[in-house]
Amino acid sequence: MSKKYSIAVIPGDGTGPEVVNEGIKVLEAVAKKFEFTIDFTNYDLGGERYKATGEIFPDTAAEGLTTADAIYLGAIGHPDVKPGILEKGLLLKLRFDFDQYINLRPVKLYEGVETPLKNKSPDDIDFVVVRENTEGLYAGAGGCLKRGTPDEVAIQSSINTRKGVERCIRFAFEYCRSRNKAKKLTLCGKTNVLTYAFDLWERTFYEVGEEYPDIQTDYAHVDAICMWMVKNPEWFDVIVTDNMFGDIITDLAAMIQGGMGIAAGGNINPEGVSMFEPIGGSAPKYTGKQIINPIAAISAAQIMLATIGENKASKAVEKAVIKVLRDDLDDIAAGKMGYTTSEVGDLVAEYIIAN
Ligand code: IPM
Ligand code: MN
């Protein structure tokens, strides 16, 4: 009997639904080719739902997601909803509730995609950032006193637990080993200033590292890593870091791999329900215009396939993405694909079926 997966889809806001459609198109093509089935269940969550009903993440939706094999998310963010409400109430809530403690961000420059870095080619830009995804400054620890007065105090603390740090670092070592490239893991921190948090990170990193003699360990401060990522991206294989630094360096990384139309990521709980998303946001002003590049959403689906164990299917999607980026699309950097969003999905799906 062929395998059957159930995928919960949250198309979300703005251009989320149109890029997710292309990801689903590609998933359907690849499932047919490799003889497994995927049931998609749609969850109407996001800014429109919140505006209409006041609901952000109702219990009924939470129950449905619990039984899914994975969650596929378009984008969250609505121009009429105050920043923070949907991010905290939906995106971060999903990450926390499902204990998706890894944010996995492959950074790969594909042929035919322009990078703003001079003299760098696909050989130079191929690394993965493993970002801790449930702790740090994102944990929501803190508070304020006397808000709005001259005596106002605001505190936002970074929470780092031995358990949380260790499981993230361990995942990064395992990932680096299975990736089997330079076998080098770089810890990105700030040990010279954040002497409590990154002391814990650093000690844990070298302790766990002893179990991985085949992996070379390296360390860089977060500010320096921003510099090296631009100057010598070829130095990196896998980078592991905390939640906030990971958030910042992965936007920089997205730009050197060709921008938000390309960048995808996974929010992973290796023992639970993981969630996959293009990282570009909802781009509300382009909604319905069919001009957004769906490759990021398609690559998010590709990471999903690898995570659920459909490795051949995942490789086939990547091969098709590589082909379409190299041979078909025009100048992505200038925002000109030469095709509509839906046509790009067709190109990828057709290539998968034909090869
Ligand atoms: C990301 C995003 C989110 C984050 C926002 C939307 C809350 O920037 O996935 O990187 O900060 O984690
Ligand atoms: Mn971010």
Side-chain angles (χ1 to χ4, degrees):
M1 238 195 52
S2 81
K3 269 202 149 166
K4 190 172 181 155
Y5 298 96
S6 103
I7 305 296
V9 184
I10 307 174
D13 300 318
T15 55
E18 58 202 274
V19 295
V20 152
N21 274 345
E22 303 317 306
I24 291 174
K25 187 187 280 174
V26 168
L27 283 167
E28 275 170 346
V30 85
K32 195 164 160 207
K33 168 124 190 159
F34 290 92
E35 296 177 341
F36 57 90
T37 35
I38 308 181
D39 271 348
F40 295 98
T41 310
N42 242 51
Y43 290 83
D44 165 29
L45 301 169
E48 290 301 332
R49 166 92 170 250
Y50 174 63
K51 271 180 49 193
T53 69
E55 289 172 315
I56 300 181
F57 189 41
D59 292 345
T60 44
E63 276 162 36
L65 296 178
T66 311
T67 56
D69 289 301
I71 303 168
Y72 187 39
L73 175 72
I76 298 295
H78 195 290
D80 304 338
V81 180
K82 199 174 149 225
I85 294 182
L86 298 168
E87 290 85 345
K88 273 193 157 170
L90 193 53
L91 183 63
L92 298 181
K93 187 165 168 55
L94 285 162
R95 289 178 181 171
F96 291 164
D97 284 6
F98 287 102
D99 202 18
Q100 293 159 347
Y101 61 87
I102 299 297
N103 192 307
L104 191 71
R105 281 274 300 107
V107 181
K108 195 166 174 176
L109 176 66
Y110 289 119
E111 255 182 83
V113 178
E114 211 180 307
T115 175
L117 302 187
K118 203 173 150 196
N119 301 331
K120 296 295 174 189
S121 70
D123 288 340
D124 302 309
I125 301 173
D126 182 4
F127 60 91
V128 176
V129 179
V130 175
R131 162 186 171 190
E132 201 292 320
N133 210 30
T134 53
E135 299 192 341
L137 281 167
Y138 279 70
C144 58
L145 284 175
K146 302 184 182 174
R147 188 166 177 274
T149 75
D151 296 326
E152 178 159 6
V153 180
I155 298 174
Q156 192 110 37
S157 303
S158 175
I159 304 292
N160 298 265
T161 67
R162 171 73 198 208
K163 181 181 156 196
V165 169
E166 184 170 334
R167 66 184 181 175
C168 174
I169 285 175
R170 211 169 268 289
F171 180 96
F173 273 106
E174 288 291 333
Y175 191 86
C176 190
R177 181 179 271 172
S178 68
R179 191 172 131 85
N180 202 19
K181 296 229 163 132
K183 294 226 186 163
K184 176 175 164 190
L185 180 62
T186 305
L187 171 64
C188 163
K190 190 73 187 173
T191 52
N192 52 348
V193 175
L194 305 180
T195 50
Y196 304 121
F198 281 98
D199 171 52
L200 172 57
W201 275 85
E202 193 179 35
R203 274 185 292 111
T204 310
F205 181 66
Y206 290 111
E207 269 172 48
V208 174
E210 285 183 16
E211 295 169 41
Y212 297 86
D214 52 324
I215 308 292
Q216 184 197 338
T217 50
D218 191 18
Y219 172 81
H221 293 319
V222 61
D223 47 349
I225 228 168
C226 292
M227 189 170 76
W228 301 130
M229 222 183 245
V230 171
K231 192 167 178 290
N232 297 99
E234 67 279 5
W235 285 354
F236 300 110
D237 176 17
V238 179
I239 297 172
V240 63
T241 191
D242 85 343
N243 209 341
M244 189 78 256
F245 291 168
D247 178 48
I248 297 166
I249 68 170
T250 53
D251 267 24
L252 175 58
M255 284 302 129
I256 72 173
Q257 76 180 128
M260 290 299 182
I262 305 281
N267 302 274
I268 296 176
N269 176 342
E271 298 89 35
V273 184
S274 300
M275 175 167 74
F276 302 86
E277 51 172 338
I279 73 166
S282 60
K285 69 176 178 193
Y286 300 119
T287 305
K289 294 205 157 58
Q290 285 282 313
I291 58 175
I292 294 287
N293 189 348
I295 293 290
I298 293 168
S299 293
Q302 179 228 315
I303 305 170
M304 176 163 85
L305 289 167
T307 310
I308 63 177
E310 290 295 338
N311 289 312
K312 277 192 193 151
S314 174
K315 291 228 165 69
V317 173
E318 187 180 22
K319 216 174 129 195
V321 163
I322 288 172
K323 191 264 167 200
V324 168
L325 286 173
R326 189 189 56 212
D327 301 341
D328 301 323
L329 299 197
D330 293 346
D331 190 355
I332 308 170
K336 294 192 200 88
M337 297 190 290
Y339 294 91
T340 65
T341 303
S342 170
E343 284 167 350
V344 176
D346 289 341
L347 287 170
V348 176
E350 281 159 18
Y351 186 81
I352 290 169
I353 297 292
N355 285 271

